Amino acid sequence: MTKFSAFLKDEAGAVTVDWVVLTAAVVGLGLVVFTFIQPAVSGLADDIAAEVDAAGLAMQNAAP
């Protein structure tokens, strides 16, 4: 029983567990934020693509 009680009292690795939990929380929060921001970013990317396409067509039409 002494080995088992020594195992329960041993705190080696507790910091690693804390960092794993903290990292998982940060990743989870990032995924939640990305879920809410993704539609706006996608819409902005579509708007930029349309402007770039329009500028390219304007340049092609203006070329002699």
mmCIF file of all heavy atoms in Angstrom:
data_model
loop_
_atom_site.group_PDB
_atom_site.id
_atom_site.type_symbol
_atom_site.label_atom_id
_atom_site.label_comp_id
_atom_site.label_asym_id
_atom_site.label_seq_id
_atom_site.Cartn_x
_atom_site.Cartn_y
_atom_site.Cartn_z
ATOM 1 N N MET A 1 0.809 -1.189 0.000
ATOM 2 C CA MET A 1 0.000 0.000 0.000
ATOM 3 C C MET A 1 0.859 1.263 0.000
ATOM 4 O O MET A 1 0.393 2.309 -0.379
ATOM 5 C CB MET A 1 -0.926 -0.049 1.228
ATOM 6 C CG MET A 1 -2.007 0.970 1.195
ATOM 7 S SD MET A 1 -3.149 0.600 -0.148
ATOM 8 C CE MET A 1 -4.581 1.428 0.363
ATOM 9 N N THR A 2 2.092 1.140 0.389
ATOM 10 C CA THR A 2 2.929 2.329 0.460
ATOM 11 C C THR A 2 3.274 2.861 -0.930
ATOM 12 O O THR A 2 3.393 4.060 -1.109
ATOM 13 C CB THR A 2 4.224 2.035 1.240
ATOM 14 O OG1 THR A 2 4.910 0.974 0.585
ATOM 15 C CG2 THR A 2 3.928 1.683 2.673
ATOM 16 N N LYS A 3 3.434 1.967 -1.897
ATOM 17 C CA LYS A 3 3.721 2.431 -3.251
ATOM 18 C C LYS A 3 2.528 3.186 -3.828
ATOM 19 O O LYS A 3 2.680 4.191 -4.508
ATOM 20 C CB LYS A 3 4.089 1.268 -4.166
ATOM 21 C CG LYS A 3 5.439 0.687 -3.905
ATOM 22 C CD LYS A 3 5.778 -0.377 -4.928
ATOM 23 C CE LYS A 3 7.153 -0.961 -4.660
ATOM 24 N NZ LYS A 3 7.535 -1.943 -5.663
ATOM 25 N N PHE A 4 1.330 2.700 -3.524
ATOM 26 C CA PHE A 4 0.125 3.358 -4.029
ATOM 27 C C PHE A 4 -0.058 4.729 -3.383
ATOM 28 O O PHE A 4 -0.381 5.708 -4.058
ATOM 29 C CB PHE A 4 -1.100 2.480 -3.771
ATOM 30 C CG PHE A 4 -2.369 3.054 -4.341
ATOM 31 C CD1 PHE A 4 -2.568 3.129 -5.707
ATOM 32 C CD2 PHE A 4 -3.348 3.537 -3.498
ATOM 33 C CE1 PHE A 4 -3.727 3.669 -6.235
ATOM 34 C CE2 PHE A 4 -4.512 4.078 -4.009
ATOM 35 C CZ PHE A 4 -4.705 4.141 -5.388
ATOM 36 N N SER A 5 0.162 4.837 -2.096
ATOM 37 C CA SER A 5 0.031 6.131 -1.418
ATOM 38 C C SER A 5 1.131 7.090 -1.876
ATOM 39 O O SER A 5 0.891 8.293 -2.000
ATOM 40 C CB SER A 5 0.034 5.964 0.096
ATOM 41 O OG SER A 5 1.255 5.399 0.520
ATOM 42 N N ALA A 6 2.309 6.572 -2.148
ATOM 43 C CA ALA A 6 3.376 7.415 -2.674
ATOM 44 C C ALA A 6 3.011 7.911 -4.067
ATOM 45 O O ALA A 6 3.279 9.066 -4.419
ATOM 46 C CB ALA A 6 4.687 6.638 -2.715
ATOM 47 N N PHE A 7 2.378 7.053 -4.863
ATOM 48 C CA PHE A 7 1.930 7.452 -6.194
ATOM 49 C C PHE A 7 0.893 8.580 -6.112
ATOM 50 O O PHE A 7 0.910 9.532 -6.877
ATOM 51 C CB PHE A 7 1.351 6.248 -6.939
ATOM 52 C CG PHE A 7 0.718 6.593 -8.251
ATOM 53 C CD1 PHE A 7 1.489 6.893 -9.360
ATOM 54 C CD2 PHE A 7 -0.669 6.636 -8.384
ATOM 55 C CE1 PHE A 7 0.905 7.217 -10.577
ATOM 56 C CE2 PHE A 7 -1.264 6.952 -9.587
ATOM 57 C CZ PHE A 7 -0.469 7.248 -10.690
ATOM 58 N N LEU A 8 -0.032 8.465 -5.172
ATOM 59 C CA LEU A 8 -1.072 9.482 -5.018
ATOM 60 C C LEU A 8 -0.509 10.814 -4.535
ATOM 61 O O LEU A 8 -1.030 11.878 -4.889
ATOM 62 C CB LEU A 8 -2.149 8.991 -4.054
ATOM 63 C CG LEU A 8 -3.029 7.850 -4.550
ATOM 64 C CD1 LEU A 8 -3.996 7.424 -3.459
ATOM 65 C CD2 LEU A 8 -3.779 8.253 -5.804
ATOM 66 N N LYS A 9 0.546 10.782 -3.745
ATOM 67 C CA LYS A 9 1.139 12.007 -3.210
ATOM 68 C C LYS A 9 2.136 12.644 -4.183
ATOM 69 O O LYS A 9 2.481 13.815 -4.024
ATOM 70 C CB LYS A 9 1.844 11.716 -1.882
ATOM 71 C CG LYS A 9 0.890 11.373 -0.770
ATOM 72 C CD LYS A 9 1.627 11.075 0.517
ATOM 73 C CE LYS A 9 0.658 10.646 1.597
ATOM 74 N NZ LYS A 9 1.344 10.309 2.843
ATOM 75 N N ASP A 10 2.585 11.892 -5.174
ATOM 76 C CA ASP A 10 3.573 12.398 -6.122
ATOM 77 C C ASP A 10 2.948 13.471 -7.010
ATOM 78 O O ASP A 10 1.890 13.261 -7.602
ATOM 79 C CB ASP A 10 4.106 11.258 -6.983
ATOM 80 C CG ASP A 10 5.274 11.694 -7.846
ATOM 81 O OD1 ASP A 10 5.858 12.760 -7.571
ATOM 82 O OD2 ASP A 10 5.598 10.949 -8.798
ATOM 83 N N GLU A 11 3.577 14.645 -7.093
ATOM 84 C CA GLU A 11 3.051 15.739 -7.895
ATOM 85 C C GLU A 11 3.831 15.946 -9.189
ATOM 86 O O GLU A 11 3.590 16.920 -9.908
ATOM 87 C CB GLU A 11 3.025 17.019 -7.080
ATOM 88 C CG GLU A 11 2.032 16.956 -5.930
ATOM 89 C CD GLU A 11 1.888 18.282 -5.217
ATOM 90 O OE1 GLU A 11 2.379 19.286 -5.746
ATOM 91 O OE2 GLU A 11 1.286 18.302 -4.144
ATOM 92 N N ALA A 12 4.759 15.076 -9.499
ATOM 93 C CA ALA A 12 5.500 15.183 -10.747
ATOM 94 C C ALA A 12 4.538 14.970 -11.903
ATOM 95 O O ALA A 12 3.756 14.030 -11.927
ATOM 96 C CB ALA A 12 6.617 14.145 -10.798
ATOM 97 N N GLY A 13 4.552 15.881 -12.839
ATOM 98 C CA GLY A 13 3.658 15.778 -13.977
ATOM 99 C C GLY A 13 2.405 16.621 -13.832
ATOM 100 O O GLY A 13 1.647 16.786 -14.778
ATOM 101 N N ALA A 14 2.171 17.179 -12.644
ATOM 102 C CA ALA A 14 0.984 18.004 -12.436
ATOM 103 C C ALA A 14 1.058 19.266 -13.281
ATOM 104 O O ALA A 14 0.040 19.727 -13.811
ATOM 105 C CB ALA A 14 0.834 18.347 -10.966
ATOM 106 N N VAL A 15 2.235 19.820 -13.439
ATOM 107 C CA VAL A 15 2.395 21.017 -14.264
ATOM 108 C C VAL A 15 2.110 20.688 -15.719
ATOM 109 O O VAL A 15 1.478 21.476 -16.431
ATOM 110 C CB VAL A 15 3.819 21.596 -14.090
ATOM 111 C CG1 VAL A 15 4.045 22.756 -15.028
ATOM 112 C CG2 VAL A 15 4.040 22.021 -12.650
ATOM 113 N N THR A 16 2.519 19.528 -16.157
ATOM 114 C CA THR A 16 2.242 19.111 -17.531
ATOM 115 C C THR A 16 0.745 19.001 -17.763
ATOM 116 O O THR A 16 0.231 19.456 -18.790
ATOM 117 C CB THR A 16 2.922 17.754 -17.810
ATOM 118 O OG1 THR A 16 4.321 17.887 -17.572
ATOM 119 C CG2 THR A 16 2.680 17.318 -19.231
ATOM 120 N N VAL A 17 0.047 18.429 -16.825
ATOM 121 C CA VAL A 17 -1.403 18.316 -16.944
ATOM 122 C C VAL A 17 -2.038 19.701 -16.995
ATOM 123 O O VAL A 17 -2.943 19.958 -17.790
ATOM 124 C CB VAL A 17 -1.988 17.482 -15.784
ATOM 125 C CG1 VAL A 17 -3.505 17.519 -15.795
ATOM 126 C CG2 VAL A 17 -1.491 16.055 -15.860
ATOM 127 N N ASP A 18 -1.565 20.613 -16.169
ATOM 128 C CA ASP A 18 -2.083 21.984 -16.186
ATOM 129 C C ASP A 18 -1.880 22.628 -17.552
ATOM 130 O O ASP A 18 -2.773 23.289 -18.077
ATOM 131 C CB ASP A 18 -1.400 22.829 -15.110
ATOM 132 C CG ASP A 18 -1.794 22.420 -13.708
ATOM 133 O OD1 ASP A 18 -2.824 21.725 -13.566
ATOM 134 O OD2 ASP A 18 -1.088 22.802 -12.760
ATOM 135 N N TRP A 19 -0.702 22.449 -18.128
ATOM 136 C CA TRP A 19 -0.427 23.047 -19.440
ATOM 137 C C TRP A 19 -1.282 22.415 -20.529
ATOM 138 O O TRP A 19 -1.738 23.095 -21.450
ATOM 139 C CB TRP A 19 1.059 22.914 -19.794
ATOM 140 C CG TRP A 19 1.865 24.038 -19.220
ATOM 141 C CD1 TRP A 19 2.694 23.982 -18.150
ATOM 142 C CD2 TRP A 19 1.889 25.395 -19.676
ATOM 143 N NE1 TRP A 19 3.237 25.218 -17.911
ATOM 144 C CE2 TRP A 19 2.765 26.104 -18.842
ATOM 145 C CE3 TRP A 19 1.262 26.074 -20.711
ATOM 146 C CZ2 TRP A 19 3.025 27.457 -18.996
ATOM 147 C CZ3 TRP A 19 1.531 27.431 -20.876
ATOM 148 C CH2 TRP A 19 2.392 28.100 -20.023
ATOM 149 N N VAL A 20 -1.515 21.136 -20.455
ATOM 150 C CA VAL A 20 -2.362 20.463 -21.443
ATOM 151 C C VAL A 20 -3.784 20.995 -21.365
ATOM 152 O O VAL A 20 -4.410 21.306 -22.386
ATOM 153 C CB VAL A 20 -2.323 18.934 -21.247
ATOM 154 C CG1 VAL A 20 -3.406 18.255 -22.059
ATOM 155 C CG2 VAL A 20 -0.953 18.391 -21.622
ATOM 156 N N VAL A 21 -4.298 21.140 -20.164
ATOM 157 C CA VAL A 21 -5.656 21.666 -19.995
ATOM 158 C C VAL A 21 -5.723 23.108 -20.466
ATOM 159 O O VAL A 21 -6.672 23.507 -21.165
ATOM 160 C CB VAL A 21 -6.099 21.539 -18.520
ATOM 161 C CG1 VAL A 21 -7.402 22.274 -18.269
ATOM 162 C CG2 VAL A 21 -6.222 20.080 -18.131
ATOM 163 N N LEU A 22 -4.744 23.917 -20.128
ATOM 164 C CA LEU A 22 -4.715 25.317 -20.553
ATOM 165 C C LEU A 22 -4.632 25.428 -22.069
ATOM 166 O O LEU A 22 -5.344 26.231 -22.687
ATOM 167 C CB LEU A 22 -3.536 26.038 -19.897
ATOM 168 C CG LEU A 22 -3.387 27.512 -20.227
ATOM 169 C CD1 LEU A 22 -4.597 28.291 -19.716
ATOM 170 C CD2 LEU A 22 -2.111 28.066 -19.620
ATOM 171 N N THR A 23 -3.797 24.619 -22.691
ATOM 172 C CA THR A 23 -3.660 24.638 -24.141
ATOM 173 C C THR A 23 -4.954 24.192 -24.821
ATOM 174 O O THR A 23 -5.381 24.789 -25.812
ATOM 175 C CB THR A 23 -2.495 23.728 -24.578
ATOM 176 O OG1 THR A 23 -1.300 24.169 -23.920
ATOM 177 C CG2 THR A 23 -2.289 23.771 -26.068
ATOM 178 N N ALA A 24 -5.588 23.185 -24.283
ATOM 179 C CA ALA A 24 -6.861 22.729 -24.843
ATOM 180 C C ALA A 24 -7.922 23.818 -24.728
ATOM 181 O O ALA A 24 -8.727 24.013 -25.651
ATOM 182 C CB ALA A 24 -7.321 21.463 -24.133
ATOM 183 N N ALA A 25 -7.927 24.552 -23.639
ATOM 184 C CA ALA A 25 -8.888 25.642 -23.464
ATOM 185 C C ALA A 25 -8.632 26.754 -24.478
ATOM 186 O O ALA A 25 -9.577 27.307 -25.059
ATOM 187 C CB ALA A 25 -8.808 26.187 -22.049
ATOM 188 N N VAL A 26 -7.383 27.090 -24.711
ATOM 189 C CA VAL A 26 -7.051 28.133 -25.688
ATOM 190 C C VAL A 26 -7.440 27.698 -27.092
ATOM 191 O O VAL A 26 -8.016 28.477 -27.862
ATOM 192 C CB VAL A 26 -5.548 28.489 -25.608
ATOM 193 C CG1 VAL A 26 -5.121 29.358 -26.772
ATOM 194 C CG2 VAL A 26 -5.248 29.178 -24.293
ATOM 195 N N VAL A 27 -7.165 26.459 -27.445
ATOM 196 C CA VAL A 27 -7.545 25.947 -28.765
ATOM 197 C C VAL A 27 -9.064 25.932 -28.916
ATOM 198 O O VAL A 27 -9.611 26.332 -29.946
ATOM 199 C CB VAL A 27 -6.946 24.544 -29.002
ATOM 200 C CG1 VAL A 27 -7.541 23.889 -30.231
ATOM 201 C CG2 VAL A 27 -5.438 24.641 -29.127
ATOM 202 N N GLY A 28 -9.763 25.491 -27.898
ATOM 203 C CA GLY A 28 -11.222 25.476 -27.938
ATOM 204 C C GLY A 28 -11.798 26.870 -28.086
ATOM 205 O O GLY A 28 -12.729 27.102 -28.870
ATOM 206 N N LEU A 29 -11.257 27.826 -27.356
ATOM 207 C CA LEU A 29 -11.713 29.205 -27.474
ATOM 208 C C LEU A 29 -11.429 29.749 -28.864
ATOM 209 O O LEU A 29 -12.261 30.459 -29.442
ATOM 210 C CB LEU A 29 -11.031 30.071 -26.410
ATOM 211 C CG LEU A 29 -11.449 31.534 -26.346
ATOM 212 C CD1 LEU A 29 -12.936 31.636 -26.014
ATOM 213 C CD2 LEU A 29 -10.626 32.265 -25.300
ATOM 214 N N GLY A 30 -10.281 29.408 -29.424
ATOM 215 C CA GLY A 30 -9.964 29.831 -30.788
ATOM 216 C C GLY A 30 -10.952 29.266 -31.800
ATOM 217 O O GLY A 30 -11.362 29.962 -32.732
ATOM 218 N N LEU A 31 -11.340 28.026 -31.632
ATOM 219 C CA LEU A 31 -12.322 27.421 -32.541
ATOM 220 C C LEU A 31 -13.686 28.092 -32.424
ATOM 221 O O LEU A 31 -14.366 28.305 -33.434
ATOM 222 C CB LEU A 31 -12.438 25.925 -32.270
ATOM 223 C CG LEU A 31 -11.235 25.087 -32.695
ATOM 224 C CD1 LEU A 31 -11.408 23.649 -32.219
ATOM 225 C CD2 LEU A 31 -11.050 25.127 -34.187
ATOM 226 N N VAL A 32 -14.080 28.433 -31.218
ATOM 227 C CA VAL A 32 -15.357 29.118 -31.015
ATOM 228 C C VAL A 32 -15.329 30.494 -31.667
ATOM 229 O O VAL A 32 -16.267 30.885 -32.368
ATOM 230 C CB VAL A 32 -15.693 29.218 -29.511
ATOM 231 C CG1 VAL A 32 -16.858 30.155 -29.269
ATOM 232 C CG2 VAL A 32 -15.991 27.846 -28.950
ATOM 233 N N VAL A 33 -14.257 31.223 -31.467
ATOM 234 C CA VAL A 33 -14.127 32.547 -32.076
ATOM 235 C C VAL A 33 -14.103 32.424 -33.592
ATOM 236 O O VAL A 33 -14.753 33.208 -34.298
ATOM 237 C CB VAL A 33 -12.862 33.259 -31.549
ATOM 238 C CG1 VAL A 33 -12.551 34.501 -32.352
ATOM 239 C CG2 VAL A 33 -13.031 33.604 -30.078
ATOM 240 N N PHE A 34 -13.381 31.453 -34.122
ATOM 241 C CA PHE A 34 -13.307 31.266 -35.568
ATOM 242 C C PHE A 34 -14.679 30.960 -36.154
ATOM 243 O O PHE A 34 -15.006 31.407 -37.254
ATOM 244 C CB PHE A 34 -12.334 30.138 -35.904
ATOM 245 C CG PHE A 34 -12.232 29.856 -37.370
ATOM 246 C CD1 PHE A 34 -11.539 30.712 -38.202
ATOM 247 C CD2 PHE A 34 -12.839 28.743 -37.917
ATOM 248 C CE1 PHE A 34 -11.455 30.464 -39.569
ATOM 249 C CE2 PHE A 34 -12.763 28.479 -39.267
ATOM 250 C CZ PHE A 34 -12.066 29.349 -40.100
ATOM 251 N N THR A 35 -15.502 30.223 -35.414
ATOM 252 C CA THR A 35 -16.843 29.883 -35.880
ATOM 253 C C THR A 35 -17.678 31.145 -36.100
ATOM 254 O O THR A 35 -18.430 31.240 -37.066
ATOM 255 C CB THR A 35 -17.544 28.966 -34.870
ATOM 256 O OG1 THR A 35 -16.767 27.782 -34.715
ATOM 257 C CG2 THR A 35 -18.935 28.597 -35.326
ATOM 258 N N PHE A 36 -17.533 32.122 -35.220
ATOM 259 C CA PHE A 36 -18.300 33.352 -35.344
ATOM 260 C C PHE A 36 -17.693 34.314 -36.366
ATOM 261 O O PHE A 36 -18.415 35.094 -36.987
ATOM 262 C CB PHE A 36 -18.423 34.049 -33.991
ATOM 263 C CG PHE A 36 -19.325 33.318 -33.046
ATOM 264 C CD1 PHE A 36 -18.810 32.666 -31.939
ATOM 265 C CD2 PHE A 36 -20.686 33.270 -33.265
ATOM 266 C CE1 PHE A 36 -19.644 31.991 -31.071
ATOM 267 C CE2 PHE A 36 -21.533 32.595 -32.405
ATOM 268 C CZ PHE A 36 -21.002 31.954 -31.301
ATOM 269 N N ILE A 37 -16.391 34.303 -36.551
ATOM 270 C CA ILE A 37 -15.726 35.247 -37.443
ATOM 271 C C ILE A 37 -15.692 34.744 -38.883
ATOM 272 O O ILE A 37 -15.671 35.541 -39.815
ATOM 273 C CB ILE A 37 -14.297 35.523 -36.936
ATOM 274 C CG1 ILE A 37 -14.369 36.289 -35.629
ATOM 275 C CG2 ILE A 37 -13.473 36.283 -37.937
ATOM 276 C CD1 ILE A 37 -13.038 36.555 -35.001
ATOM 277 N N GLN A 38 -15.725 33.439 -39.099
ATOM 278 C CA GLN A 38 -15.555 32.843 -40.424
ATOM 279 C C GLN A 38 -16.521 33.383 -41.472
ATOM 280 O O GLN A 38 -16.090 33.689 -42.579
ATOM 281 C CB GLN A 38 -15.641 31.323 -40.319
ATOM 282 C CG GLN A 38 -15.222 30.576 -41.560
ATOM 283 C CD GLN A 38 -16.390 30.300 -42.486
ATOM 284 O OE1 GLN A 38 -17.538 30.259 -42.059
ATOM 285 N NE2 GLN A 38 -16.101 30.148 -43.748
ATOM 286 N N PRO A 39 -17.813 33.551 -41.204
ATOM 287 C CA PRO A 39 -18.699 34.081 -42.246
ATOM 288 C C PRO A 39 -18.328 35.498 -42.688
ATOM 289 O O PRO A 39 -18.375 35.813 -43.879
ATOM 290 C CB PRO A 39 -20.086 34.059 -41.595
ATOM 291 C CG PRO A 39 -19.988 33.050 -40.515
ATOM 292 C CD PRO A 39 -18.577 33.117 -40.034
ATOM 293 N N ALA A 40 -17.950 36.333 -41.750
ATOM 294 C CA ALA A 40 -17.566 37.702 -42.093
ATOM 295 C C ALA A 40 -16.278 37.719 -42.919
ATOM 296 O O ALA A 40 -16.171 38.474 -43.894
ATOM 297 C CB ALA A 40 -17.397 38.538 -40.828
ATOM 298 N N VAL A 41 -15.322 36.898 -42.549
ATOM 299 C CA VAL A 41 -14.061 36.840 -43.288
ATOM 300 C C VAL A 41 -14.295 36.281 -44.688
ATOM 301 O O VAL A 41 -13.729 36.762 -45.662
ATOM 302 C CB VAL A 41 -13.017 36.003 -42.510
ATOM 303 C CG1 VAL A 41 -11.779 35.760 -43.335
ATOM 304 C CG2 VAL A 41 -12.658 36.696 -41.205
ATOM 305 N N SER A 42 -15.148 35.283 -44.785
ATOM 306 C CA SER A 42 -15.457 34.699 -46.081
ATOM 307 C C SER A 42 -16.139 35.722 -46.979
ATOM 308 O O SER A 42 -15.817 35.835 -48.170
ATOM 309 C CB SER A 42 -16.360 33.479 -45.903
ATOM 310 O OG SER A 42 -16.663 32.905 -47.141
ATOM 311 N N GLY A 43 -17.078 36.483 -46.434
ATOM 312 C CA GLY A 43 -17.742 37.525 -47.213
ATOM 313 C C GLY A 43 -16.765 38.597 -47.652
ATOM 314 O O GLY A 43 -16.820 39.079 -48.792
ATOM 315 N N LEU A 44 -15.855 38.984 -46.781
ATOM 316 C CA LEU A 44 -14.849 39.976 -47.126
ATOM 317 C C LEU A 44 -13.926 39.449 -48.216
ATOM 318 O O LEU A 44 -13.575 40.184 -49.154
ATOM 319 C CB LEU A 44 -14.046 40.353 -45.877
ATOM 320 C CG LEU A 44 -12.981 41.432 -46.041
ATOM 321 C CD1 LEU A 44 -13.621 42.741 -46.499
ATOM 322 C CD2 LEU A 44 -12.243 41.639 -44.736
ATOM 323 N N ALA A 45 -13.547 38.191 -48.134
ATOM 324 C CA ALA A 45 -12.690 37.592 -49.161
ATOM 325 C C ALA A 45 -13.407 37.572 -50.511
ATOM 326 O O ALA A 45 -12.789 37.839 -51.555
ATOM 327 C CB ALA A 45 -12.275 36.188 -48.759
ATOM 328 N N ASP A 46 -14.705 37.277 -50.515
ATOM 329 C CA ASP A 46 -15.480 37.299 -51.762
ATOM 330 C C ASP A 46 -15.533 38.707 -52.343
ATOM 331 O O ASP A 46 -15.414 38.897 -53.559
ATOM 332 C CB ASP A 46 -16.892 36.773 -51.528
ATOM 333 C CG ASP A 46 -16.923 35.287 -51.225
ATOM 334 O OD1 ASP A 46 -15.939 34.590 -51.559
ATOM 335 O OD2 ASP A 46 -17.939 34.832 -50.653
ATOM 336 N N ASP A 47 -15.717 39.720 -51.502
ATOM 337 C CA ASP A 47 -15.739 41.106 -51.960
ATOM 338 C C ASP A 47 -14.392 41.513 -52.560
ATOM 339 O O ASP A 47 -14.340 42.181 -53.598
ATOM 340 C CB ASP A 47 -16.104 42.054 -50.819
ATOM 341 C CG ASP A 47 -17.532 41.878 -50.337
ATOM 342 O OD1 ASP A 47 -18.332 41.247 -51.069
ATOM 343 O OD2 ASP A 47 -17.846 42.369 -49.229
ATOM 344 N N ILE A 48 -13.314 41.106 -51.923
ATOM 345 C CA ILE A 48 -11.979 41.429 -52.433
ATOM 346 C C ILE A 48 -11.745 40.745 -53.777
ATOM 347 O O ILE A 48 -11.208 41.347 -54.712
ATOM 348 C CB ILE A 48 -10.891 41.041 -51.409
ATOM 349 C CG1 ILE A 48 -10.979 41.946 -50.176
ATOM 350 C CG2 ILE A 48 -9.498 41.101 -52.022
ATOM 351 C CD1 ILE A 48 -10.115 41.502 -49.021
ATOM 352 N N ALA A 49 -12.157 39.481 -53.886
ATOM 353 C CA ALA A 49 -12.002 38.751 -55.152
ATOM 354 C C ALA A 49 -12.786 39.431 -56.267
ATOM 355 O O ALA A 49 -12.292 39.543 -57.402
ATOM 356 C CB ALA A 49 -12.453 37.309 -54.989
ATOM 357 N N ALA A 50 -13.978 39.913 -55.976
ATOM 358 C CA ALA A 50 -14.782 40.606 -56.989
ATOM 359 C C ALA A 50 -14.105 41.901 -57.426
ATOM 360 O O ALA A 50 -14.082 42.231 -58.625
ATOM 361 C CB ALA A 50 -16.175 40.887 -56.446
ATOM 362 N N GLU A 51 -13.535 42.640 -56.487
ATOM 363 C CA GLU A 51 -12.844 43.885 -56.826
ATOM 364 C C GLU A 51 -11.598 43.613 -57.664
ATOM 365 O O GLU A 51 -11.314 44.338 -58.619
ATOM 366 C CB GLU A 51 -12.458 44.645 -55.558
ATOM 367 C CG GLU A 51 -13.625 45.238 -54.821
ATOM 368 C CD GLU A 51 -14.269 46.390 -55.576
ATOM 369 O OE1 GLU A 51 -13.556 47.120 -56.293
ATOM 370 O OE2 GLU A 51 -15.490 46.541 -55.453
ATOM 371 N N VAL A 52 -10.859 42.578 -57.329
ATOM 372 C CA VAL A 52 -9.651 42.234 -58.092
ATOM 373 C C VAL A 52 -10.040 41.805 -59.509
ATOM 374 O O VAL A 52 -9.383 42.195 -60.494
ATOM 375 C CB VAL A 52 -8.841 41.139 -57.369
ATOM 376 C CG1 VAL A 52 -7.745 40.582 -58.257
ATOM 377 C CG2 VAL A 52 -8.252 41.693 -56.076
ATOM 378 N N ASP A 53 -11.093 41.012 -59.630
ATOM 379 C CA ASP A 53 -11.568 40.609 -60.960
ATOM 380 C C ASP A 53 -12.007 41.808 -61.775
ATOM 381 O O ASP A 53 -11.701 41.915 -62.968
ATOM 382 C CB ASP A 53 -12.720 39.613 -60.840
ATOM 383 C CG ASP A 53 -12.267 38.245 -60.364
ATOM 384 O OD1 ASP A 53 -11.058 37.939 -60.474
ATOM 385 O OD2 ASP A 53 -13.137 37.472 -59.877
ATOM 386 N N ALA A 54 -12.729 42.733 -61.150
ATOM 387 C CA ALA A 54 -13.181 43.941 -61.857
ATOM 388 C C ALA A 54 -11.989 44.787 -62.291
ATOM 389 O O ALA A 54 -11.984 45.328 -63.406
ATOM 390 C CB ALA A 54 -14.118 44.747 -60.964
ATOM 391 N N ALA A 55 -10.991 44.905 -61.431
ATOM 392 C CA ALA A 55 -9.804 45.681 -61.799
ATOM 393 C C ALA A 55 -9.066 45.012 -62.950
ATOM 394 O O ALA A 55 -8.561 45.693 -63.854
ATOM 395 C CB ALA A 55 -8.886 45.837 -60.594
ATOM 396 N N GLY A 56 -8.985 43.686 -62.940
ATOM 397 C CA GLY A 56 -8.329 42.978 -64.042
ATOM 398 C C GLY A 56 -9.058 43.166 -65.348
ATOM 399 O O GLY A 56 -8.426 43.370 -66.400
ATOM 400 N N LEU A 57 -10.382 43.116 -65.327
ATOM 401 C CA LEU A 57 -11.157 43.344 -66.548
ATOM 402 C C LEU A 57 -10.995 44.770 -67.038
ATOM 403 O O LEU A 57 -10.881 45.013 -68.249
ATOM 404 C CB LEU A 57 -12.633 43.032 -66.292
ATOM 405 C CG LEU A 57 -12.999 41.561 -66.147
ATOM 406 C CD1 LEU A 57 -14.472 41.430 -65.757
ATOM 407 C CD2 LEU A 57 -12.710 40.809 -67.435
ATOM 408 N N ALA A 58 -10.952 45.726 -66.131
ATOM 409 C CA ALA A 58 -10.779 47.117 -66.512
ATOM 410 C C ALA A 58 -9.402 47.311 -67.160
ATOM 411 O O ALA A 58 -9.279 48.064 -68.139
ATOM 412 C CB ALA A 58 -10.936 48.020 -65.303
ATOM 413 N N MET A 59 -8.400 46.664 -66.653
ATOM 414 C CA MET A 59 -7.055 46.782 -67.218
ATOM 415 C C MET A 59 -7.000 46.139 -68.603
ATOM 416 O O MET A 59 -6.333 46.658 -69.507
ATOM 417 C CB MET A 59 -5.997 46.165 -66.290
ATOM 418 C CG MET A 59 -5.765 46.967 -65.029
ATOM 419 S SD MET A 59 -4.572 46.215 -63.919
ATOM 420 C CE MET A 59 -3.108 46.198 -64.925
ATOM 421 N N GLN A 60 -7.678 45.001 -68.766
ATOM 422 C CA GLN A 60 -7.702 44.354 -70.073
ATOM 423 C C GLN A 60 -8.435 45.201 -71.094
ATOM 424 O O GLN A 60 -8.010 45.301 -72.255
ATOM 425 C CB GLN A 60 -8.377 42.979 -69.989
ATOM 426 C CG GLN A 60 -7.525 41.942 -69.311
ATOM 427 C CD GLN A 60 -8.257 40.603 -69.193
ATOM 428 O OE1 GLN A 60 -9.442 40.510 -69.452
ATOM 429 N NE2 GLN A 60 -7.525 39.586 -68.770
ATOM 430 N N ASN A 61 -9.509 45.842 -70.713
ATOM 431 C CA ASN A 61 -10.283 46.680 -71.623
ATOM 432 C C ASN A 61 -9.551 47.976 -71.954
ATOM 433 O O ASN A 61 -9.756 48.542 -73.024
ATOM 434 C CB ASN A 61 -11.659 46.982 -71.045
ATOM 435 C CG ASN A 61 -12.530 45.746 -70.975
ATOM 436 O OD1 ASN A 61 -12.316 44.794 -71.712
ATOM 437 N ND2 ASN A 61 -13.501 45.756 -70.084
ATOM 438 N N ALA A 62 -8.716 48.470 -71.068
ATOM 439 C CA ALA A 62 -7.998 49.717 -71.297
ATOM 440 C C ALA A 62 -6.713 49.509 -72.098
ATOM 441 O O ALA A 62 -6.143 50.470 -72.601
ATOM 442 C CB ALA A 62 -7.665 50.359 -69.950
ATOM 443 N N ALA A 63 -6.257 48.284 -72.209
ATOM 444 C CA ALA A 63 -5.004 48.013 -72.935
ATOM 445 C C ALA A 63 -5.206 48.287 -74.413
ATOM 446 O O ALA A 63 -6.232 47.936 -74.991
ATOM 447 C CB ALA A 63 -4.566 46.570 -72.716
ATOM 448 N N PRO A 64 -4.229 48.959 -75.056
ATOM 449 C CA PRO A 64 -4.365 49.288 -76.485
ATOM 450 C C PRO A 64 -4.263 48.080 -77.403
ATOM 451 O O PRO A 64 -3.785 47.080 -77.248
ATOM 452 C CB PRO A 64 -3.238 50.250 -76.770
ATOM 453 C CG PRO A 64 -2.317 50.214 -75.593
ATOM 454 C CD PRO A 64 -3.022 49.486 -74.494
#
